[in-house]
């Protein structure tokens, strides 16, 4: 495709949700057959979740690419339009990042003092920090970076 379309990534996200739901239904079926919920995942569940994660990642990358670059790249220089909304969103994201980082440090100190180590909460907070940093990078790339799109003729020197 020569266009940056949003249909294929959206279908990929829907497929990923379907695969995750199929893994959930597989777990319910196994629990019904055994009479109790097993502690380990089956091979089928692991395979469905792996392919679901693959399609989820592919869909998110496609939608982010569509958001950052638009429907079609146009040759030339593109300058960002000044606006206060991206700056306000950036300030809010930085404040959220500061709060999450402070809470993460307090959780580490609490774990060191009491000996109780909630790793699931630490992972959840660190994942949130990572997502906020990714959102800040995307916001910066979309609204503050000048970009230049260069094209090459069909009879160029490069083999591709």
């Amino acid at each position: 495709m020569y266009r940056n379309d949003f249909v294929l990534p959206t279908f990929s996200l829907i497929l990923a949700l379907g695969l995750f739901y199929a893994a959930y239904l597989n777990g319910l079926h196994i629990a019904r057959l055994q009479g109790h919920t097993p502690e380990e995942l089956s091979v089928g569940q692991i395979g469905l979740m792996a392919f679901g994660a693959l399609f989820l990642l592919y869909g998110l990358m496609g939608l982010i690419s569509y958001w950052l670059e638009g429907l079609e790249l146009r040759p030339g220089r593109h300058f960002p339009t000044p606006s206060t909304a991206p700056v306000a969103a950036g300030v809010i994201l930085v404040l959220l990042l500061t709060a999450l980082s402070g809470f993460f440090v307090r959780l580490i100190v609490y774990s060191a003092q009491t000996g109780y180590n909630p790793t699931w909460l630490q992972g959840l907070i660190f994942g949130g920090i990572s997502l906020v940093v990714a959102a800040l990078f995307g916001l910066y790339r979309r609204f503050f970076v000048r970009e230049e799109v260069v094209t090459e003729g069909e009879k160029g020197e490069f083999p591709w």
Side-chain angles (χ1 to χ4, degrees):
M1 286 189 338
Y2 66 97
R3 300 181 72 167
N4 198 8
D5 203 1
F6 68 92
V7 175
L8 194 59
T10 305
F11 177 73
S12 177
L13 288 176
I14 293 170
L15 184 62
L17 289 175
L19 288 172
F20 285 129
Y21 187 65
Y24 170 73
L25 289 179
N26 188 8
L28 287 180
H29 180 68
I30 292 172
R32 191 172 350 111
L33 289 176
Q34 289 186 352
H36 68 284
T37 305
E39 294 182 13
E40 65 275 348
L41 295 172
S42 70
V43 175
Q45 285 177 308
I46 294 171
L48 287 170
M49 286 190 285
F51 279 108
L54 177 76
F55 283 117
L56 180 74
L57 183 65
Y58 175 72
L60 288 176
M61 283 176 18
L63 289 179
I64 289 171
S65 172
Y66 175 74
W67 180 69
L68 287 176
E69 298 169 356
L71 186 63
E72 189 172 339
L73 289 175
R74 306 209 185 276
R77 290 187 176 165
H78 304 285
F79 298 98
T81 56
S83 176
T84 57
V87 174
V91 168
I92 290 171
L93 285 174
V94 165
L95 290 174
L96 179 64
L97 181 66
T98 305
L100 283 173
S101 300
F103 187 63
F104 186 72
V105 169
R106 292 292 299 163
L107 187 61
I108 297 294
V109 169
Y110 171 77
S111 298
Q113 289 174 348
T114 62
Y116 176 67
N117 192 13
T119 54
W120 65 272
L121 186 58
Q122 292 171 357
L124 189 69
I125 293 171
F126 189 76
I129 289 171
S130 301
L131 288 177
V132 170
V133 168
L136 279 169
F137 279 139
L139 190 72
Y140 176 72
R141 162 68 173 79
R142 172 87 162 115
F143 294 107
F144 297 105
V145 174
R146 289 186 307 175
E147 61 183 0
E148 184 174 358
V149 177
V150 181
T151 60
E152 186 179 336
E154 291 181 12
K155 299 195 180 357
E157 297 177 8
F158 293 105
W160 57 79

